[in-house]
Amino acid sequence: SSLRVEFSSGTAGRSQGFVALYGPATPVPLFSPSNVGIITNPFGVLEAAAGPMLFVDWVIAPAGSTMVTLSFETLQLAPPPFQGLVVYQCTEATPDRSKCFELASFSGPIMTVPGHVQSDSGFMWVSFFSFFPAPGTGFRATF
């Protein structure tokens, strides 16, 4: 499998960006404002720090899986409409959101970090957006 990574920054590198860990411990920076990264590993980490005009999407599609569970370690977002995180269940591993439905949506100050979100189809789409950098905001989750 492969993953195309594209980086674009509108603030001369002031944003921290994103890191995705695939496999045992191989960090792969993910700067993808316009593309969807399809992850086929059975486990990994999604991590995002807020930045200006940042839009990142991942489709988690482990080969042969019938369930995907996203477990949050941290989740802190600025109030809507400035930042948000949406988790979808999809019918297939495709960058076509019309084949997905919303499982959970998060925005604003999170008082309690949610435990986990589960897709029973074996495919999950995670979408993060940030219109401005807010110190201490973003998320980290394992799957």
Side-chain angles (χ1 to χ4, degrees):
S1 67
S2 65
L3 174 68
R4 180 176 168 219
V5 179
E6 180 179 316
F7 172 73
S8 176
S9 175
T11 61
R14 292 182 185 175
S15 172
Q16 290 182 359
F18 291 81
V19 173
L21 299 179
Y22 302 154
T26 307
V28 179
L30 239 187
F31 300 92
S32 181
S34 61
N35 294 309
V36 177
I38 298 178
I39 301 170
T40 57
N41 285 23
F43 58 89
V45 176
L46 298 182
E47 186 172 22
M53 300 307 291
L54 204 49
F55 305 90
V56 179
D57 294 283
W58 299 272
V59 172
I60 304 170
S65 178
T66 57
M67 181 183 349
V68 176
T69 302
L70 188 67
S71 299
F72 291 94
E73 294 177 7
T74 61
L75 178 62
Q76 185 61 45
L77 304 173
F82 303 111
Q83 294 174 346
L85 177 73
V86 185
V87 181
Y88 302 88
Q89 177 171 302
C90 303
T91 58
E92 60 185 75
T94 178
D96 178 359
R97 196 172 290 157
S98 71
K99 298 183 182 201
C100 306
F101 68 88
E102 187 176 310
L103 291 172
S105 179
F106 305 99
S107 63
I110 308 295
M111 300 308 288
T112 303
V113 175
H116 67 273
V117 178
Q118 181 174 301
S119 168
D120 295 326
S121 69
F123 308 106
M124 179 182 282
W125 185 316
V126 181
S127 182
F128 176 76
F129 69 89
S130 175
F131 290 109
F132 75 99
T137 61
F139 80 98
R140 179 180 170 90
T142 58
F143 61 90

